[in-house]
Amino acid sequence: GSLLLAVHFYTLSRAAPLIPSTALGILLLILSSLLAYAGIRRSLRNASLFLSLCLTISVFWCSYGMVFILGGQGVLNDTGDFRNALVPGLVTFTLALLIIAVVGFLHREVILAMIASAVSLASAHEIAVHCNTAFSSSAVACNYMIVCLVGGYFALGRILYFLTKEKIVLPGTDLAKNKTREQIKSTSGSVNHFANTGLILNMLSASVFGCRLLGVTSKLFIGQVPWLWASGIYQIGVCILSYRAMDTLMATFFGFTSILKFAGGYCLLYPIWQPEEPSFHIPFLVGFAILFAVLALFITLRSPVDGLYLLFYVAYCIAIACHPKGFFEGGPQGMDVAIFVASALMTLIYLYNTKEGAKIPTGNGVVKALLARSSFLKLREGADLHAPYLGYSKYADAEVLGYACSVLASFAIMVTGDPQAPLSTVVVPWVVVAGGILKLLGGSVAFARGKTLESSAFILYGIMWIIWGLTRYGGLYGTTRSFHTAVGIIAFMLFNGFIVFCTLFLNITWFFYSLAFLLIPVSFLLDAISAVPAGYDIAATLIFGLVSFYCFLSALFNSIFEGSCLPMGRPVVQLSGVGGGMNKCLHLPARKASSVKRIADILKNGGTCGIPTDTVYVLVAACNRPDAVEKAHHSKHQAQERPMSLWISSLKQLEPAKHLFTPLLWDFMEAAWPSPISLVVPRGEWVDFLGMKESAKYVGTPQSIAIRIPDCSVTTHLIDLVGPIVVTSANPTGEADTTHHNQVYAKLGDKVDAVLCDGPSPENIASTVVDCTTISSGNIGFFRVGIIPKSQVKLILSLFLLF
């Protein structure tokens, strides 16, 4: 990428540049996507700096490329347009990359720091070229050539490292040194590494309007939209990555700031179709300021400096509300300058604090220490801080953002508007981005966490906000209402009616939330048939906004504090199985050794658990706990023709009883296991060696028992901790096999004590059963109930007998 830009700036003085602007812009867009991928994947050492550098340059080239495309397509024709379009972004990335370079040198990441400083100098020289014609573009090209040389040195070092099998290592290219990968921890323990890029994006959007106030640029126009919208798109990406970093508060904050970026870009596009600048909806901005203030209060619990930073956005929303033309007037632009400076300082603090040992104090733990003395409010900490609702998830809970988007969208559509000029008031980005796109994001994250009903509701509401915002406030609705509009609104009402019914079994708050939303499409329907009563639409949106605000506060309290400070309530209709086990049944990730140990403790204490295997999910109990085996037997109404089986982790557990098996059968068990093959062997005295006691009557038949060693490390490790276990399928008799941990919860509900969660099972059918009761006479019978082909079982047994 730097080589491409070096060639461009060396040939810029020619009558016709070697690389056309449109082609250069497209190439930069492609390279920016590759850089974003590299940054997210990260390196093995100092992941935070590498991530920040890659994502920062990715945003730079993405926006930069779009400006070149606009120039190549003739959009930037007037004198000074190219300068006004480029300078705000160049100012931001000059400072941001300089901060990364300084921190890189302080952390002794020389190559990374040299690349950042060279790109920063290139941007600074380009600003000088645009401000004074006496400067030559060759200086810009020279800085990009430095990036090429440093990158080539690093590539050479890595090639030599691999070719010489680690014998030749050039200084600064050994990534194996300090190879411990930086783990992205929860908000209680470390800094969110993705927040660095989010803060730089805040600098970028603030620079566009701040430069206009300071006179650096002469006007605000379409050429600066790429900086705003690229920062908005990347901000949504940072929001998602922050959820992956288990940082709910900062993810919500970045979701909020992305709305402002899209709104700013929309306002700069508005003069294309209207001569006047758009006005702003004051109730929305007041509600937005309140949400920022509440979020700042909760972030202060973690870091007072972060809470102080969010107060700038509270003042920013108030400043926009106080000026009818918002982004185009001096008050909000003054706040943009303040946000630019504050974001730069926060970026420096976040980047510097990524290295252990040297820390810039931010007040972390001060409020936590004060709350530790309180008996009323206790912060959630430890392993259960981000405990998922169902199963294992790589995301923190996004319900806070989902509820906040409902508040914002409801207050945004309270504006009556002029049907002849629906775009004269800034409503489209508030509804489409806040209520639609971010609502879809919240629904997707909720689905990843196993919240099927909540995710369905968020996605349905997000789709409705997008469609309604574009049709009504995008000028597509028109002054005449149509029958087709009414039919579409009725369809949404029917879907939402189903959600209202389902929330009866979830909790009271969700029931009122979905019921209040039903007032919104009713308002749309009455408007479509021109029969809406005076004030009904305002009342409906106000009710829905207040209910959503309570849900927003409740989700914040419940995600940070122990107990129910603002409870969501119990289900209106209580059901066992679906909602009954919600607070009782533990859901533990199978990828953690501590989870397997916890499951083992539950089994030793007489509990029953659902666990993953090499085939499907099963229900297990310790065979030395007859009460647990009986509970497992009755929990799924086990039919007598489908007896429970016995699992062990290795044949060593049967060694004391080896003399009770025929040599041929013992050799066959050694050859067949571990595998998804269950062997039906004659019942005998060997059962007593496993300590089954009274449990034996629930396992197998009076004549035989199915026994197996599973080919699954999690399962065998669990058996090593517990001892032999009794196993049955994790589904009521007669139903399909259970292939996901969520299905265990749905089918057995509160009949199990815990579920070891590992997502979808590797197979979709239970194991193969081989009848070995006659193996001593040389005849082996088998019957297939699983996925192993019958011919394959025959081949296995035939080869065994042959040898």
Side-chain angles (χ1 to χ4, degrees):
S2 297
L3 182 61
L4 186 70
L5 289 169
V7 172
H8 168 75
F9 282 103
Y10 267 127
T11 61
L12 193 60
S13 58
R14 297 170 51 182
L18 185 64
I19 305 175
S21 295
T22 302
L24 178 63
I26 293 173
L27 290 173
L28 286 176
L29 288 177
I30 296 172
L31 292 170
S32 68
S33 63
L34 295 175
L35 267 176
Y37 174 79
I40 293 171
R41 293 291 297 178
R42 297 188 303 281
S43 67
L44 295 179
R45 188 179 62 181
N46 213 329
S48 181
L49 281 177
F50 182 80
L51 167 69
S52 301
L53 176 65
C54 286
L55 290 185
T56 301
I57 297 179
S58 176
V59 180
F60 180 27
W61 286 354
C62 178
S63 313
Y64 202 43
M66 287 301 299
V67 174
F68 275 111
I69 292 173
L70 292 178
Q73 296 303 309
V75 178
L76 308 178
N77 287 326
D78 296 341
T79 305
D81 275 0
F82 210 66
R83 174 187 174 279
N84 288 326
L86 283 177
V87 168
L90 294 173
V91 168
T92 298
F93 290 108
T94 298
L95 179 58
L97 290 167
L98 179 62
I99 293 173
I100 294 176
V102 170
V103 175
F105 282 120
L106 292 175
H107 288 180
R108 299 181 180 179
E109 292 291 334
V110 180
I111 291 181
L112 186 148
M114 289 181 66
I115 292 175
S117 58
V119 179
S120 175
L121 286 173
S123 301
H125 280 106
E126 190 174 355
I127 294 173
V129 170
H130 287 295
C131 294
N132 192 335
T133 56
F135 286 93
S136 171
S137 59
S138 299
V140 183
C142 288
N143 284 296
Y144 281 119
M145 285 303 301
I146 293 175
V147 178
C148 296
L149 293 175
V150 175
Y153 169 80
F154 182 80
L156 177 63
R158 297 306 294 165
I159 292 172
L160 291 175
Y161 181 84
F162 287 112
L163 290 180
T164 62
K165 297 181 179 179
E166 306 180 11
K167 293 181 180 178
I168 299 178
V169 181
L170 297 181
T173 63
D174 184 12
L175 297 182
K177 189 178 180 181
N178 302 326
K179 206 170 184 177
T180 55
R181 182 186 292 270
E182 291 187 20
Q183 298 294 332
I184 301 175
K185 302 176 184 178
S186 63
T187 57
S188 62
S190 69
V191 176
N192 173 12
H193 298 301
F194 302 106
N196 307 327
T197 306
L199 295 170
I200 293 172
L201 294 171
N202 290 341
M203 292 173 58
L204 178 58
S205 59
S207 176
V208 172
F209 299 105
C211 285
R212 175 67 188 88
L213 178 70
L214 299 175
V216 178
T217 56
S218 58
K219 63 178 180 178
L220 296 171
F221 71 119
I222 187 176
Q224 295 147 351
V225 172
W227 302 113
L228 293 170
W229 280 10
S231 62
I233 293 171
Y234 275 81
Q235 196 80 292
I236 292 179
V238 171
C239 174
I240 297 172
L241 294 171
S242 296
Y243 281 122
R244 289 292 297 268
M246 296 297 173
D247 193 348
T248 301
L249 297 177
M250 291 303 287
T252 306
F253 167 64
F254 291 133
F256 283 178
T257 54
S258 69
I259 301 171
L260 293 171
K261 294 171 176 57
F262 283 108
Y266 167 82
C267 291
L268 298 191
L269 284 177
Y270 183 79
I272 295 176
W273 55 80
Q274 293 288 343
E276 297 183 359
E277 296 165 351
S279 60
F280 284 81
H281 185 47
I282 295 177
F284 172 85
L285 292 165
V286 172
F288 209 179
I290 293 173
L291 291 179
F292 266 119
V294 173
L295 192 62
L297 178 62
F298 279 90
I299 287 184
T300 303
L301 299 176
R302 186 185 67 183
S303 170
V305 172
D306 290 342
L308 181 63
Y309 174 65
L310 261 67
L311 292 180
F312 282 91
Y313 279 91
V314 177
Y316 187 48
C317 292
I318 296 174
I320 297 175
C322 293
H323 295 81
K325 303 302 180 183
F327 295 116
F328 295 94
E329 299 196 4
Q333 291 176 8
M335 284 305 307
D336 277 306
V337 176
I339 289 174
F340 182 88
V341 176
S343 299
L345 292 175
M346 291 296 294
T347 302
L348 177 62
I349 292 172
Y350 267 67
L351 282 172
Y352 186 78
N353 286 351
T354 55
K355 188 173 183 179
E356 296 294 334
K359 293 285 185 181
I360 299 176
T362 59
N364 288 1
V366 174
V367 180
K368 178 182 174 182
L370 294 175
L371 289 176
R373 304 176 182 179
S374 172
S375 59
F376 177 68
L377 292 175
K378 285 189 176 181
L379 294 174
R380 295 182 63 186
E381 298 180 279
D384 295 331
L385 179 61
H386 297 287
Y389 182 86
L390 283 178
Y392 178 80
S393 173
K394 294 181 179 179
Y395 296 89
D397 203 338
E399 284 194 353
V400 175
L401 182 61
Y403 294 132
C405 290
S406 295
V407 177
L408 296 175
S410 61
F411 280 104
I413 64 172
M414 288 176 65
V415 60
T416 54
D418 183 3
Q420 301 298 331
L423 300 177
S424 60
T425 304
V426 183
V427 177
V428 175
W430 305 141
V431 176
V432 173
V433 179
I437 297 175
L438 293 180
K439 205 66 174 267
L440 292 176
L441 167 63
S444 301
V445 174
F447 184 80
R449 292 177 60 79
K451 298 188 175 184
T452 309
L453 177 58
E454 295 92 325
S455 64
S456 301
F458 282 149
I459 291 172
L460 176 68
Y461 298 167
I463 292 172
M464 200 217 67
W465 289 126
I466 291 175
I467 295 175
W468 182 255
L470 291 176
T471 54
R472 175 66 187 274
Y473 300 104
L476 305 176
Y477 195 47
T479 56
T480 58
R481 312 301 189 248
S482 67
F483 171 76
H484 304 85
T485 305
V487 171
I489 295 171
I490 292 173
F492 273 108
M493 292 174 62
L494 292 176
F495 279 117
N496 189 64
F498 176 72
I499 289 177
V500 171
F501 172 76
C502 293
T503 54
L504 290 171
F505 311 102
L506 186 59
N507 57 58
I508 296 175
T509 305
W510 254 97
F511 172 72
F512 282 109
Y513 175 70
S514 58
L515 190 64
F517 181 81
L518 193 59
L519 300 175
I520 304 293
V522 169
S523 173
F524 297 162
L525 178 62
L526 294 175
D527 180 71
I529 61 177
S530 301
V532 58
Y536 173 81
D537 51 349
I538 302 297
T541 53
L542 185 61
I543 292 172
F544 180 64
L546 293 176
V547 173
S548 301
F549 185 70
Y550 175 83
C551 295
F552 168 74
L553 290 178
S554 178
L556 270 176
F557 271 101
N558 293 335
S559 63
I560 294 178
F561 296 107
E562 292 182 358
S564 299
C565 303
L566 292 177
M568 299 290 284
R570 297 182 61 83
V572 179
V573 180
Q574 186 77 32
L575 289 180
S576 63
V578 178
M582 184 163 47
N583 298 322
K584 180 181 178 181
C585 180
L586 293 174
H587 292 78
L588 304 170
R591 307 179 190 186
K592 295 184 178 180
S594 58
S595 300
V596 179
K597 184 179 183 302
R598 197 168 177 185
I599 292 288
D601 293 337
I602 293 173
L603 293 177
K604 290 177 182 177
N605 293 326
T608 59
C609 301
I611 65 169
T613 68
D614 49 346
T615 52
V616 296
Y617 278 80
V618 295
L619 178 63
V620 302
C623 71
N624 60 356
R625 293 299 302 256
D627 53 339
V629 176
E630 183 179 4
K631 178 183 176 182
H633 184 274
H634 293 302
S635 65
K636 60 187 297 291
H637 307 291
Q638 180 73 24
Q640 293 301 319
E641 61 271 14
R642 297 287 300 275
M644 304 173 75
S645 59
L646 178 67
W647 285 13
I648 57 177
S649 60
S650 68
L651 279 176
K652 292 181 180 179
Q653 292 177 325
L654 285 178
E655 282 285 353
K658 182 178 180 180
H659 62 283
L660 300 175
F661 296 91
T662 63
L664 184 61
L665 177 57
W666 187 267
D667 291 342
F668 180 66
M669 289 190 293
E670 287 184 333
W673 290 333
S675 71
I677 299 177
S678 297
L679 303 183
V680 179
V681 299
R683 181 185 288 269
E685 297 179 2
W686 61 270
V687 174
D688 299 331
F689 286 88
L690 297 178
M692 295 184 66
K693 302 177 183 178
E694 297 296 324
S695 304
K697 63 182 179 180
Y698 298 106
V699 182
T701 67
Q703 294 77 31
S704 61
I705 293 179
I707 189 170
R708 177 182 163 201
I709 298 178
D711 191 12
C712 177
S713 57
V714 172
T715 312
T716 53
H717 179 53
L718 179 64
I719 299 173
D720 284 335
L721 296 175
V722 179
I725 57 175
V726 175
V727 179
T728 183
S729 57
N731 57 274
T733 304
E735 293 189 11
D737 292 316
T738 306
T739 58
H740 196 280
H741 57 254
N742 288 350
Q743 295 178 2
V744 180
Y745 179 81
K747 291 182 178 182
L748 298 181
D750 57 357
K751 296 186 175 74
V752 293
D753 298 291
V755 178
L756 194 61
C757 307
D758 197 31
S761 60
E763 308 293 352
N764 57 7
I765 302 178
S767 62
T768 298
V769 179
V770 179
D771 186 358
C772 300
T773 54
T774 59
I775 195 170
S776 58
S777 61
N779 298 317
I780 302 178
F782 63 90
F783 57 95
R784 175 178 177 271
V785 297
I787 58 166
I788 298 181
K790 198 170 185 178
S791 58
Q792 185 176 340
V793 177
K794 285 183 178 180
L795 178 62
I796 294 173
L797 304 186
S798 300
L799 290 175
F800 171 74
L801 291 177
L802 178 63
F803 288 110

